[in-house]
Amino acid sequence: VLLERIRDLEARYRVPVFATGDLNCGKNASQGEEPYQWLNERLVDIRLAAEETTDAFTHHVYPRRDENNVYHATWKAPHNILDHFFVTENPNVQLHSFSVDNSAVSRCSSDHSPMIVTATVQGE
């Protein structure tokens, strides 16, 4: 379904399409890596294609609440890559960088860390 929507947008607007999110799959993921591999064969994994990149994990233990109901990052470091950032193959896209924010602040907000992509899209 995801790939169908991406291809629809790409054809309708003749633009590159970026897709990202928690896909709950990847290398060493308990859910397996088959869905990731399938998408990676059809789209560009920005983590792998960017000029500057990182192999930082994107998933970690969920933050815990203290007695005042305030979230705190756990001491456990991120330990898996379940989130991915793809783009359709397009010569007008230049992928400059891919990074992951694993700061304590970002770890307090979710059990997934933000992925940051810098890209240039040229065209009309």
Side-chain angles (χ1 to χ4, degrees), residues 20-21 45-48 50 52-60 77-85 97-107 109-118:
T20 185
D45 182 341
I46 297 174
R47 176 189 291 267
L48 302 177
E52 294 179 33
T53 191
T54 179
D55 60 355
F57 296 135
T58 62
H59 178 256
H60 52 84
H79 63 278
N80 217 334
I81 296 174
L82 300 178
D83 311 86
H84 305 282
F85 213 133
S97 65
F98 172 90
S99 61
V100 177
D101 180 356
N102 275 317
S103 66
V105 171
S106 75
R107 289 195 322 269
S109 63
S110 172
D111 60 333
H112 294 267
S113 299
M115 298 177 292
I116 303 159
V117 169
T118 305

Side-chain angles (χ1 to χ4, degrees), residues 15-18 46 87-96 119-122:
V15 296
V17 178
F18 291 81
I46 297 174
V87 65
T88 53
E89 183 75 41
N90 189 304
N92 294 324
V93 175
Q94 185 176 8
L95 302 169
H96 303 292
T120 302
V121 179
Q122 296 179 343

